[in-house]
Amino acid sequence: MALAAAAAPSPSLFAAMAASGRDDDVPPLFFLRPVFLHGVCAAAHLLVAVAVAGRMVAFCWCRRGKDGEVRGGGGGGGFRWHGVAASATWVLGAFGLVLAAYEGYLGGGGAGWSRDALVEEADAAARAVAWLLLAAYLQFWFGRRRKERFPAPLRLWWALFLLLSVLAVAVHVVTSLDGLPVPAHSWALDAVSVLAAIVLLLAGFLGKREPGGSAIEEPLLNGASETAGENNSSNCAADASMFTGAGFLSVLTFSWMGPLLAVGHRKTLDLDDVPGLDPGDSVAGLLPSFKTNLEALAGDDSGRKVTAFKLTKALVRTVWWHVAVTALYALVYNVATYVGPYLIDSLVQYLNGDERYASKGQLLVLAFIVAKVFECLSQRHWFFRLQQAGIRARSALVAVVYQKGLVLSSQSRQSRTSGEMINIISVDADRVGLFSWYMHDLWLVPLQVGMALFILYSTLGLASLAALGATVVVMLANVPPGQMQEKFQQKLMDCKDVRMKATSEILRNMRILKLQGWEMKFLSKIIDLRKTETNWLKKYLYTSTIVTFVFWGAPTFVAVVTFVACMLMGIPLESGKVLSALATFRVLQEPIYNLPDTISMLIQTKVSLDRIASFLCLEELPTDAVQKLPSGSSDVAIEVRNGCFSWDASPEVPTLKDLNFQARRGTRIAVCGTVGSGKSSLLSCILGEIPKLSGEVKTCGTMAYVSQSAWIQSGKIQDNILFGKQMDNEKYDRVLESCSLKKDLEILPFGDQTVIGERGINLSGGQKQRIQIARALYQDADIYLFDDPFSAVDAHTGSHLFKECLLGALASKTVVYVTHQIEFLPAADLILVMKGGRIAQAGKYDKILGSGEEFMELVDAHKDALTALDAIDVTNGGNEASSSSKIASLARSASVEKKDKQNGKEDDANAQSGQLVQEEEREKGRVGFWVYWKYLTLAYRGALVPFILLAQILFQVLQIGSNYWMAWAAPVSKDVEPPVSMSTLIYVYVALAFGSSLCILVRALILVTAAYKTATLLFNKMHVSIFRAPMSFFDSTPSGRILNRASTDQSEVDTNIAYQMGSVAFSIIQLVGIIAVMSQVAWQVFVVFIPVIAACFYYQRYYIDTARELQRLVGVCKAPIIQHFAESITGSTTIRSFGKENQFVSTNSHLMDAFSRPKFYNAAAMEWLCFRLDFLSSLTFAFSLIFLVNLPTGLIDPGISGLAVTYGLNLNMLQAWVVWSMCNLENKIISVERILQYMGIPAEPPLSVQDDKLTQDWPSEGEIVLNNLHVRYAPHLPFVLKGLTVIFPGGMKTGIVGRTGSGKSTLIQALFRIVDPTIGQILVDSIDICTIGLHDLRSRLSIIPQEPTMFEGTVRSNLDPLGEYTDSQIWEALDCCQLGDEVRRKELQLDSPVIENGENWSVGQRQLVCLGRVILKRSKILVLDEATASVDTATDNLIQKTLRQQFSDATVITIAHRITSVLDSDMVLLLDNGVAVERDTPTRLLEDKSSLFSKLVAEYTMRSTHT
């Protein structure tokens, strides 16, 4: 129902007002003339009448068509407050009818109808018709509609009616004070209108339908019903919002927050203590309407046409009720703030003994106090609803961005890095939510300026035009700096994106950087990116000082211009008028203070909305790339016909071409080929992930996918395996058995309840892959796609997985598996041999064995690898099962215990302590004084702080001095002789005003300088601390937590915290100034002020206990959203392939609600406090007013007492501002606390040692001696290496073998000092490595890690990050590692781009790049950690050959899953349970049939030859 918003003040008033202006005979403005005001009122009520009549006609029409349906709706529960609302409208209608008759009688009684009388009669008649129609609608129609609440437009109309009725009363009071008569029937109408409006507003708030007889089940499940919970047990109440069920008075005074504040005061709040959200505030309640609105505006074309404007419109439509209601509150607040300045002149005249006001003292005080009460109430609810709207906007945006992130195409993914996407939800969505504070300022500023001009016009006449001119000049002066700020803000955000992207990549690959000794080089890269960012930050901050100066100086500038205009026009300046003008300028200060913020925020929000809109416009994965048929509808499970696909979407260079194959239900298809031949891309085309240029892809049934690089979510192992499915214990056990996970889980401290670190950081590569396979198996899909998952596990486990999973559990399923292991091929029904993006050969193993060279190359390479085993007799396989299981149990005993318990920092008694990833730590209790002190003294040791305070104190003294001068020097009335001449009055005022403005400029500049310096120091120190942290810190800290500090917390420090600190100091200085001025007149005010201040500080302390913890919870709850988003983006292929998008969207909604809860209650807690502070400060103001009007006339100077009242008008705002600033600072300073927390991370040993005696060519021999080596990951955990004593002779090749978890990787970590020995020592060329610097050690050793890593940049920067080698050396290294030709084919050659994580290179190619790095480095000691796991056998053989040539005289230590990789070693070391079990040459160990090594080899050979 579109109801108009107007209810005019009562009839006959305007005639009285028109008869006279104020005492200086200023003619009334046009909009106060009776014709205009009655016309507006009549039109508004007529519009309401038409809207209600239209609704009733529509209802009758519907009823005629669906009679039974309507009648049936009448049952069920009753409607609270319905009868009261109907009665109130009948009363208003009846009263309107009586009034219309009375007006008719008055108008018709004289000599015909005048124009004014006609309009008054029309107004009265329109009122009567509108209210009678509304009463009939409520009485006869509304009850049958089964609505849960009164319609929103109706409630809005009632609120507006109350506002306008109160305004009518205010105008009556002012008219009465001016000595004009107000007709009795006008007072009567006012009384009826205000009382009825209050009743109607109460009904609007509290009216809702009582629950009926039927059970409402669905809303209970999704939390969408407000009434469903009333019949439910108490456990639902715990989740319910305290706000939803609160009564009217409780909502009005924010008393509904009482229980939560009591809990927060009693104990430290946890997230469980925070109540749930109102259904309308949760993502589930918001998202459907937001998406509907967005689609309606942008069209259905996958969000392609989304613009910032359309996004804004969709948001406004979604939260329109909040927008409308806050507009109403803002209107009430702004009208109420101008009542004080309007009445000050009257008060000064009263105090001066003016006869016209002789009996009006008490009425004046009442008007001041009532205006104050309305001002306080409306402001509190205005701010609360604004924040609620902001929370809703943020939730809706994050939800829609998350959903978009899950469906991005591969090109879109490459065009946006994860860092940029994270910034969209962590910074941009936040900023849009924050803009809710400013959304009404754009129309409020003209309104406030208009009302100010009206008051100035009524006191100073035409001089008000000068004030208007000055205000316009000030506002225009802000346009250039505003435009500069927009530009700087955009640049700042772009630089931040680049920095966050680099930081994110570095954190992911920190282990590699530590092993290579590159971390400080990459830190300098981050510091350089930050320098570019801070160049824009500096410009942004200094531009903001111009804005600050313009607007702090604005009220003074406007006052000077206005008073100079009075002097030039000869308008006499009396103290009453001067004070009224000064009070008006002070009220005008608020919009003028806020305008720079509003403009800056508008600019920032526009930038953020543009970024979100452009993200929502990104191309999505086409839904029609793959034709998906339901399970069982076809015998063909997968079919690709004439397929042509390309990752680059360019038809010139397709990735896959001429693809034709089909897989029948239940068949096994193997895909093999050399590195980069298109094997993984083949799986991607079946999944629909790679853009299709032509052809057709069909699949039949559900799908499960196991990626080559394991994607594991942080969370429990069990949750990773179940992946959203219900637990079926029998099936779960079967899956664990098939994937060899049972023994691993037994060792883990919490079994399958163990929390996995980010990206599965506390699991070995093999364990991650087996969990991935278990996840796929548990889904029980129809089609399984495996992208070489067996390469990450050892030979024995690989055989077991192949046999149990592919040949056993999945025997009846369709399976496509990519593999490099030739031994797994004979079991396939169809083998596809890939070469150059084509299927080179296809058929069964025996058929294609002799039919083409591609397959023969792979098989021959495999045979070459097995030649070393020819001499072995493999017949003794009978007793292997028992012995190998014995080895397995031994070998796994330390398996993940060591990895999982890294860094468990608390003792074992604490159930949480064994978990690697702990809950994010947060400080408890008050923020320590040291945090503030550290922040203040970081820049220049705090030398600038006294100057900032001095400048502010000087500003305050000069400001008060200038106002004091005007109040003292201006005469009280025309009859009094002024103490100084008009020109002296103005000149002194101008001088004082100029001085105060200068102080503001100086203060703003010093503050920004200190803020910039502090932010830079905090950033540098935190990043040095993070980069120097030991590896254990990164293993146990999800990168989301570190990124949160580097983005959100750093942003607060960059742009907010210095202003917040300044705000506290400045507001205290201003408060002291106001109290000083007020006590000049009435020192008795201290009698009230001291206990009021004491009560204020009691409330503040009571409140801060809860607010502080809520703010910390907001910080803690934000990281999981970012982390979940980052994980979802990384694993989007897996999520889509399993069809789990809805599950992940639901998890994101849950995390968003968990973040919104503390944020919402934090906002409510702030308003709870401010409401009480406002009430108390109004008490002080009321006391001083009552005291003033009761003093004998002439006892004190009326001008000075007027000045005290002028300042007193701002007392409540300032008192609340002091406490609000203190609380806000304590909330915001938590960002500094969190950064300081990370500045205190214990560092690794020094990078270099001063008295290093290392020679330039150390290690020259390459001899490594392990002497009684004991290693463990934490003091309370068991040893992983137990007394290892081994010598690795210089220049020899040593292979280290052993089952998963035997301590192989720990030995390598100890060699590189990722973890230091607890007992014993490691000597390299007779030097104890613990006595030299970390960089000196790591830079002299080389490693090819298990997980190949490439960084964003170029091929050159990946091979040589430190820039130490020439291009010819780099080309030579590329040729050695078989990548030279591949790079030469690329257009940019060495400058060819590498995208984030090296995703435009295959995993095998990435491994070859790692090989290129060590060839360039040519160290005397080289470690290969399962370095050829991701390449085919042919490439593996090439790598081994290259290594033999390039590192013939180096010490090479190889950890390998492929036994063939260690067979040509000079020495083999077999580890078992952290102990060296066997150590000898491979030949000798193989000769001894009882050796564990020979049994491992036999097992591998059996597997390789059994087919």
Side-chain angles (χ1 to χ4, degrees):
M1 194 163 31
L3 302 178
S10 56
S12 305
L13 166 65
F14 305 114
M17 289 181 69
S20 168
R22 293 192 64 177
D23 55 305
D24 48 5
D25 294 324
V26 176
L29 297 175
F30 173 70
F31 61 77
L32 285 181
R33 288 179 187 161
V35 176
F36 177 76
L37 286 165
H38 281 301
V40 168
C41 177
H45 276 87
L46 207 58
L47 209 55
V48 172
V50 169
V52 175
R55 174 56 63 98
M56 287 159 73
V57 168
F59 184 83
C60 291
W61 185 261
C62 283
R63 187 178 175 191
R64 207 174 66 183
K66 303 178 183 175
D67 204 29
E69 192 181 306
V70 175
R71 282 196 196 110
F79 197 99
R80 263 188 277 166
W81 286 80
H82 172 250
V84 177
S87 305
T89 48
W90 280 121
V91 168
L92 280 169
F95 199 85
L97 210 57
V98 171
L99 190 68
Y102 182 66
E103 291 288 353
Y105 167 73
L106 286 181
W113 290 81
S114 68
R115 185 183 64 172
D116 286 8
L118 267 172
V119 175
E120 279 188 36
E121 177 61 25
D123 178 21
R127 272 172 184 269
V129 172
W131 286 112
L132 286 171
L133 274 171
L134 199 51
Y137 169 75
L138 285 174
Q139 188 76 49
F140 305 113
W141 274 271
F142 178 74
R144 305 178 183 186
R145 297 290 290 157
R146 295 292 296 155
K147 293 274 187 190
E148 288 299 315
R149 304 187 75 116
F150 287 114
L154 188 61
R155 286 181 280 156
L156 191 60
W157 163 251
W158 289 341
L160 283 167
F161 181 63
L162 174 64
L163 164 68
L164 295 156
S165 302
V166 169
L167 278 177
V169 175
V171 176
H172 282 153
V173 171
V174 173
T175 311
S176 177
L177 286 171
D178 279 348
L180 301 172
V182 177
H185 69 267
S186 294
W187 287 113
L189 178 63
D190 283 345
V192 171
S193 296
V194 170
L195 282 171
I198 288 170
V199 168
L200 289 171
L201 199 61
L202 276 169
F205 262 105
L206 304 176
K208 60 165 78 170
R209 189 168 295 286
E210 299 282 8
S214 62
I216 306 170
E217 291 166 11
E218 185 58 28
L220 190 66
L221 295 173
N222 60 26
S225 167
E226 293 174 271
T227 57
E230 292 178 17
N231 295 331
N232 270 303
S233 58
S234 58
N235 65 343
C236 287
D239 297 332
S241 165
M242 295 196 304
F243 177 61
T244 308
F248 177 75
L249 278 176
S250 180
V251 167
L252 193 70
T253 60
F254 294 95
S255 305
W256 55 273
M257 274 299 295
L260 181 61
L261 289 159
V263 172
H265 185 60
R266 206 170 53 244
K267 57 167 269 207
T268 302
L269 277 186
D270 288 315
L271 192 59
D272 294 340
D273 300 318
V274 182
L277 290 170
D278 184 87
D281 293 320
S282 67
V283 176
L286 279 169
L287 192 58
S289 65
F290 178 62
K291 283 185 80 175
T292 307
N293 290 328
L294 192 59
E295 281 163 14
L297 290 164
D300 296 332
D301 189 18
S302 309
R304 270 181 190 283
K305 298 170 189 161
V306 177
T307 60
F309 178 65
K310 287 175 179 173
L311 203 56
T312 310
K313 268 177 81 175
L315 280 171
V316 170
R317 285 186 185 180
T318 308
V319 296
W320 75 269
W321 165 247
H322 285 75
V323 174
V325 128
T326 47
L328 179 67
Y329 289 139
L331 194 61
V332 174
Y333 169 74
N334 281 287
V335 170
T337 50
Y338 280 98
V339 171
Y342 189 76
L343 295 179
I344 275 187
D345 191 13
S346 306
L347 182 69
V348 171
Q349 300 304 332
Y350 169 80
L351 295 173
N352 194 36
D354 192 317
E355 289 174 12
R356 289 172 304 161
Y357 296 96
S359 60
K360 299 282 173 38
Q362 308 302 330
L363 193 59
L364 274 170
V365 169
L366 186 66
F368 270 112
I369 293 169
V370 167
K372 250 317 155 221
V373 168
F374 269 97
E375 181 189 323
C376 297
L377 273 174
S378 54
Q379 189 183 30
R380 298 284 58 92
H381 286 278
W382 174 25
F383 284 1
F384 173 60
R385 292 294 189 176
L386 280 181
Q387 290 176 82
Q388 194 179 14
I391 289 169
R392 288 186 174 195
R394 186 188 186 282
S395 293
L397 285 173
V398 172
V400 86
V401 165
Y402 180 83
Q403 289 191 2
K404 181 75 178 182
L406 285 183
V407 294
L408 289 182
S409 67
S410 57
Q411 283 101 328
S412 300
R413 276 291 316 281
Q414 286 179 22
S415 71
R416 294 297 170 102
T417 62
S418 54
E420 285 173 338
M421 292 192 237
I422 285 167
N423 261 354
I424 283 176
I425 63 162
S426 67
V427 178
D428 294 315
D430 262 7
R431 187 165 287 125
V432 175
L434 205 59
F435 182 70
S436 63
W437 280 100
Y438 304 87
M439 67 182 168
H440 293 304
D441 289 9
L442 296 172
W443 64 268
L444 280 176
V445 169
L447 177 77
Q448 287 162 323
V449 170
M451 286 194 289
L453 289 174
F454 168 66
I455 293 171
L456 289 172
Y457 184 61
S458 62
T459 49
L460 300 175
L462 288 172
S464 61
L465 294 174
L468 174 63
T471 308
V472 170
V473 166
V474 165
M475 289 181 175
L476 289 176
N478 199 49
V479 173
Q483 288 171 335
M484 286 159 71
Q485 265 191 309
E486 176 174 21
K487 179 183 152 197
F488 299 151
Q489 173 70 24
Q490 178 68 60
K491 298 282 189 189
L492 186 63
M493 288 305 296
D494 291 344
C495 292
K496 188 174 177 184
D497 276 349
V498 174
R499 173 174 66 82
M500 288 310 297
K501 175 175 150 189
T503 309
S504 173
E505 185 173 48
I506 287 168
L507 291 176
R508 266 200 309 274
N509 301 306
M510 188 55 86
R511 186 177 294 276
I512 303 297
L513 298 183
K514 295 265 182 205
L515 288 169
Q516 302 279 11
W518 290 343
E519 71 267 44
M520 298 323 279
K521 168 71 180 175
F522 277 77
L523 172 62
S524 66
K525 183 179 164 187
I526 294 291
I527 298 289
D528 288 344
L529 289 172
R530 171 68 180 175
K531 275 182 188 156
T532 316
E533 185 185 341
T534 49
N535 285 339
W536 293 112
L537 176 67
K538 192 190 284 185
K539 289 174 183 171
Y540 177 77
L541 289 173
Y542 280 105
T543 314
S544 72
T545 62
I546 301 169
V547 175
T548 307
F549 169 66
V550 166
F551 281 94
W552 274 81
T556 314
F557 173 70
V558 174
V560 166
V561 169
T562 309
F563 292 148
V564 168
C566 286
M567 183 176 80
L568 296 174
M569 290 177 180
I571 298 169
L573 285 174
E574 298 157 23
S575 59
K577 291 178 177 181
V578 166
L579 288 171
S580 181
L582 285 175
T584 306
F585 296 141
R586 280 183 77 84
V587 176
L588 198 55
Q589 252 182 331
E590 193 188 343
I592 288 181
Y593 279 178
N594 286 345
L595 198 62
D597 277 352
T598 305
I599 291 169
S600 148
M601 198 64 198
L602 187 66
I603 290 159
Q604 292 178 35
T605 308
K606 168 80 167 60
V607 169
S608 289
L609 281 165
D610 282 334
R611 284 155 54 92
I612 294 171
S614 72
F615 180 76
L616 293 177
C617 290
L618 290 178
E619 184 189 29
E620 296 181 6
L621 268 180
T623 49
D624 58 349
V626 178
Q627 193 180 336
K628 293 179 181 170
L629 305 173
S631 298
S633 59
S634 167
D635 277 346
V636 178
I638 304 167
E639 184 174 18
V640 182
R641 278 198 299 216
N642 306 321
C644 190
F645 305 86
S646 172
W647 286 115
D648 301 329
S650 58
E652 299 83 46
V653 198
T655 313
L656 298 171
K657 44 196 175 291
D658 309 329
L659 280 198
N660 284 287
F661 75 93
Q662 70 169 214
R664 302 191 77 76
R665 250 201 340 226
T667 55
R668 277 190 296 279
I669 296 186
V671 183
C672 59
T674 53
V675 170
S677 59
K679 301 183 296 298
S680 297
S681 298
L682 179 70
L683 296 190
S684 295
C685 87
I686 298 170
L687 290 167
E689 294 289 325
I690 179 169
K692 182 171 72 176
L693 302 177
S694 62
E696 194 179 358
V697 183
K698 282 184 193 170
T699 61
C700 174
T702 55
M703 208 171 296
Y705 168 66
V706 179
S707 55
Q708 187 171 11
S709 304
W711 177 72
I712 302 287
Q713 285 177 273
S714 47
K716 294 176 186 167
I717 291 177
Q718 186 189 78
D719 295 341
N720 265 285
I721 295 172
L722 296 181
F723 209 43
K725 283 224 164 189
Q726 289 294 315
M727 168 59 96
D728 173 343
N729 287 317
E730 195 181 323
K731 180 176 166 186
Y732 184 71
D733 282 347
R734 267 202 320 272
V735 167
L736 292 182
E737 192 64 55
S738 301
C739 298
S740 306
L741 280 169
K742 284 231 161 158
K743 289 198 173 100
D744 296 272
L745 295 182
E746 282 164 17
I747 294 159
L748 293 173
F750 298 97
D752 62 0
Q753 299 302 304
T754 301
V755 174
I756 302 175
E758 193 175 18
R759 301 185 314 281
I761 200 143
N762 46 332
L763 299 174
S764 71
Q767 286 165 331
K768 285 192 271 192
Q769 280 294 14
R770 281 181 284 143
I771 287 173
Q772 271 215 120
I773 296 168
R775 174 173 66 204
L777 255 61
Y778 193 82
Q779 294 304 306
D780 199 22
D782 299 315
I783 301 169
Y784 283 81
L785 305 179
F786 289 97
D787 194 354
D788 195 21
F790 310 114
S791 59
V793 296
D794 59 63
H796 169 76
T797 314
S799 293
H800 177 87
L801 285 174
F802 188 75
K803 196 165 128 197
E804 293 297 322
C805 298
L806 265 74
L807 303 181
L810 302 178
S812 61
K813 308 284 186 183
T814 311
V815 182
V816 180
Y817 60 100
V818 170
T819 185
H820 289 130
Q821 276 101 322
I822 300 298
E823 58 270 24
F824 292 150
L825 295 178
D829 300 316
L830 175 67
I831 299 171
L832 304 178
V833 184
M834 301 296 294
K835 186 166 187 183
R838 281 193 169 86
I839 298 176
Q841 287 175 271
K844 281 186 77 71
Y845 185 83
D846 298 332
K847 182 185 161 196
I848 61 169
L849 197 53
S851 66
E853 60 187 50
E854 289 85 2
F855 189 55
M856 282 307 293
E857 276 174 27
L858 296 170
V859 175
D860 289 347
H862 179 60
K863 283 182 177 161
D864 292 346
L866 289 172
T867 49
L869 301 172
D870 283 347
I872 297 173
D873 175 19
V874 207
T875 52
N876 59 347
N879 62 349
E880 248 140 53
S882 58
S883 64
S884 66
S885 65
K886 192 166 66 188
I887 301 163
S889 63
L890 270 170
R892 288 209 180 83
S893 61
S895 168
V896 195
E897 190 164 36
K898 57 97 178 171
K899 285 221 169 199
D900 254 300
K901 287 196 173 180
Q902 282 177 31
N903 267 346
K905 294 189 180 71
E906 300 158 34
D907 61 74
D908 287 333
N910 180 349
Q912 180 70 13
S913 69
Q915 299 285 22
L916 173 74
V917 181
Q918 305 286 334
E919 284 285 311
E920 181 165 7
E921 69 293 345
R922 60 181 174 110
E923 304 290 338
K924 300 284 170 77
R926 291 186 65 172
V927 176
F929 174 72
W930 69 274
V931 176
Y932 298 94
W933 184 249
K934 185 94 176 163
Y935 181 82
L936 286 170
T937 55
L938 202 59
Y940 313 108
R941 296 193 177 173
L944 296 180
V945 177
F947 292 105
I948 294 169
L949 293 176
L950 184 66
Q952 179 65 25
I953 290 166
L954 271 174
F955 164 74
Q956 194 61 29
V957 168
L958 291 170
Q959 187 89 343
I960 290 173
S962 63
N963 291 348
Y964 212 91
W965 165 258
M966 290 301 281
W968 173 80
V972 177
S973 64
K974 296 172 189 169
D975 318 324
V976 181
E977 183 66 31
V980 294
S981 69
M982 184 80 153
S983 54
T984 310
L985 176 82
I986 298 298
Y987 292 147
V988 172
Y989 182 74
V990 169
L992 291 168
F994 179 75
S996 69
S997 299
L998 201 63
C999 288
I1000 279 301
L1001 182 61
V1002 170
R1003 186 210 82 188
L1005 286 169
I1006 302 176
L1007 184 70
V1008 160
T1009 308
Y1012 172 76
K1013 182 72 176 169
T1014 308
T1016 308
L1017 287 170
L1018 280 173
F1019 179 90
N1020 292 347
K1021 289 184 178 210
M1022 175 175 76
H1023 278 71
V1024 168
S1025 179
I1026 289 170
F1027 276 69
R1028 288 285 292 112
M1031 202 55 228
S1032 55
F1033 168 76
F1034 299 98
D1035 287 347
S1036 60
T1037 309
S1039 62
R1041 290 183 195 169
I1042 303 171
L1043 292 173
N1044 210 359
R1045 282 165 173 82
S1047 65
T1048 313
D1049 292 324
Q1050 188 63 44
S1051 282
E1052 288 287 350
V1053 171
D1054 286 348
T1055 54
N1056 265 344
I1057 287 175
Y1059 289 114
Q1060 285 296 337
M1061 254 180 187
S1063 181
V1064 170
F1066 309 155
S1067 58
I1068 289 173
I1069 291 166
Q1070 282 191 289
L1071 184 66
V1072 170
I1074 285 188
I1075 294 302
V1077 171
M1078 286 178 76
S1079 60
Q1080 283 283 303
V1081 180
W1083 60 264
Q1084 291 84 348
V1085 83
F1086 280 108
V1087 175
V1088 176
F1089 181 70
I1090 290 168
V1092 161
I1093 279 289
C1096 282
F1097 279 105
Y1098 163 75
Y1099 272 129
Q1100 192 258 350
R1101 293 312 329 152
Y1102 183 75
Y1103 150 84
I1104 199 68
D1105 292 331
T1106 303
R1108 189 194 310 112
E1109 297 312 320
L1110 285 171
Q1111 185 62 32
R1112 282 179 176 144
L1113 284 171
V1114 167
V1116 170
C1117 289
K1118 188 167 187 179
I1121 298 173
I1122 295 173
Q1123 192 183 331
H1124 181 251
F1125 183 69
E1127 276 184 355
S1128 303
I1129 294 296
T1130 313
S1132 56
T1133 303
T1134 305
I1135 294 166
R1136 285 193 294 266
S1137 63
F1138 282 87
K1140 296 286 179 183
E1141 294 95 331
N1142 289 346
Q1143 178 190 320
F1144 275 76
V1145 166
S1146 168
T1147 304
N1148 180 60
S1149 302
H1150 174 73
L1151 290 171
M1152 274 304 307
D1153 289 346
F1155 172 74
S1156 298
R1157 269 161 54 205
K1159 211 168 173 61
F1160 173 81
Y1161 288 101
N1162 197 19
M1166 173 61 83
E1167 299 314 322
W1168 175 92
L1169 173 71
C1170 289
F1171 176 81
R1172 280 144 186 80
L1173 298 183
D1174 283 353
F1175 175 75
L1176 289 167
S1177 55
S1178 299
L1179 211 63
T1180 313
F1181 181 59
F1183 175 83
S1184 53
L1185 270 178
I1186 292 164
F1187 182 78
L1188 276 176
V1189 297
N1190 287 316
L1191 280 175
T1193 306
L1195 188 64
I1196 49 170
D1197 184 344
I1200 301 302
S1201 51
L1203 181 68
V1205 175
T1206 306
Y1207 272 91
L1209 282 172
N1210 279 342
L1211 182 66
N1212 73 302
M1213 191 174 88
L1214 207 63
Q1215 206 168 308
W1217 187 28
V1218 168
V1219 177
W1220 188 86
S1221 300
M1222 287 167 76
C1223 295
N1224 210 25
L1225 175 62
E1226 190 160 355
N1227 286 342
K1228 297 277 185 196
I1229 201 79
I1230 290 167
S1231 288
V1232 175
E1233 183 184 57
R1234 283 157 59 86
I1235 288 174
L1236 291 175
Q1237 206 178 50
Y1238 272 26
M1239 276 165 57
I1241 305 165
E1244 282 187 304
L1247 297 175
S1248 56
V1249 178
Q1250 287 297 319
D1251 53 353
D1252 246 349
K1253 302 289 191 296
L1254 290 181
T1255 56
Q1256 192 63 39
D1257 62 342
W1258 180 89
S1260 54
E1261 299 298 320
E1263 182 188 59
I1264 302 170
V1265 178
L1266 310 181
N1267 193 0
N1268 189 27
L1269 190 65
H1270 287 73
V1271 176
R1272 60 180 169 195
Y1273 283 93
H1276 64 280
L1277 296 177
F1279 285 106
V1280 180
L1281 295 179
K1282 304 165 185 176
L1284 208 56
T1285 302
V1286 180
I1287 296 173
F1288 296 95
M1292 283 180 72
K1293 316 278 179 287
T1294 305
I1296 301 178
V1297 291
R1299 300 200 185 282
T1300 303
S1302 54
K1304 304 187 296 289
S1305 293
T1306 305
L1307 173 56
I1308 300 306
Q1309 291 193 60
L1311 179 60
F1312 281 83
R1313 289 187 67 194
I1314 296 294
V1315 54
D1316 275 339
T1318 313
I1319 305 168
Q1321 53 185 182
I1322 301 175
L1323 305 174
V1324 175
D1325 282 6
S1326 307
I1327 290 180
D1328 184 349
I1329 63 168
C1330 289
T1331 61
I1332 60 176
L1334 288 182
H1335 269 195
D1336 296 333
L1337 170 69
R1338 291 169 184 171
S1339 61
R1340 312 285 179 100
L1341 308 178
S1342 287
I1343 184 167
I1344 303 182
Q1346 183 175 357
E1347 292 185 7
T1349 305
M1350 287 177 80
F1351 301 93
E1352 186 169 8
T1354 62
V1355 174
R1356 181 190 279 106
S1357 70
N1358 266 281
L1359 282 161
D1360 179 24
L1362 306 184
E1364 296 173 327
Y1365 304 101
T1366 64
D1367 279 9
S1368 59
Q1369 287 173 302
I1370 293 172
W1371 277 116
E1372 189 187 335
L1374 281 170
D1375 288 331
C1376 287
C1377 66
Q1378 314 298 319
L1379 272 177
D1381 294 341
E1382 180 68 35
V1383 176
R1384 283 188 186 91
R1385 275 203 296 273
K1386 294 188 180 288
E1387 192 183 336
L1388 297 171
Q1389 301 202 339
L1390 287 181
D1391 293 316
S1392 299
V1394 176
I1395 65 167
E1396 200 175 7
N1397 298 333
E1399 282 178 7
N1400 55 343
W1401 295 71
S1402 77
V1403 178
Q1405 287 170 327
R1406 283 180 241 166
Q1407 194 69 280
L1408 294 174
V1409 169
C1410 294
L1411 174 64
R1413 286 178 191 149
V1414 300
I1415 291 172
L1416 267 178
K1417 202 169 173 184
R1418 292 188 192 279
S1419 304
K1420 192 68 184 171
I1421 296 173
L1422 169 65
V1423 176
L1424 307 176
D1425 187 359
E1426 296 168 3
T1428 55
S1430 299
V1431 296
D1432 59 87
T1433 317
T1435 313
D1436 184 10
N1437 291 348
L1438 279 168
I1439 291 174
Q1440 299 298 341
K1441 189 173 158 196
T1442 307
L1443 290 173
R1444 277 197 292 275
Q1445 290 167 352
Q1446 301 291 330
F1447 294 92
S1448 54
D1449 58 344
T1451 307
V1452 180
I1453 298 173
T1454 307
I1455 294 176
H1457 284 149
R1458 288 180 183 160
I1459 299 296
T1460 50
S1461 304
V1462 295
L1463 282 176
D1464 65 341
S1465 304
D1466 303 322
M1467 195 70 67
V1468 170
L1469 170 68
L1470 194 139
L1471 289 180
D1472 191 7
N1473 201 12
V1475 178
V1477 183
E1478 295 172 356
R1479 183 178 175 277
D1480 212 331
T1481 62
T1483 323
R1484 284 212 195 113
L1485 286 173
L1486 287 172
E1487 283 167 2
D1488 178 4
K1489 293 287 182 284
S1490 63
S1491 72
L1492 294 176
F1493 180 68
S1494 70
K1495 288 177 179 168
L1496 272 176
V1497 171
E1499 198 177 289
Y1500 178 78
T1501 319
M1502 275 177 65
R1503 186 185 82 178
S1504 303
T1505 56
H1506 81 286
T1507 50

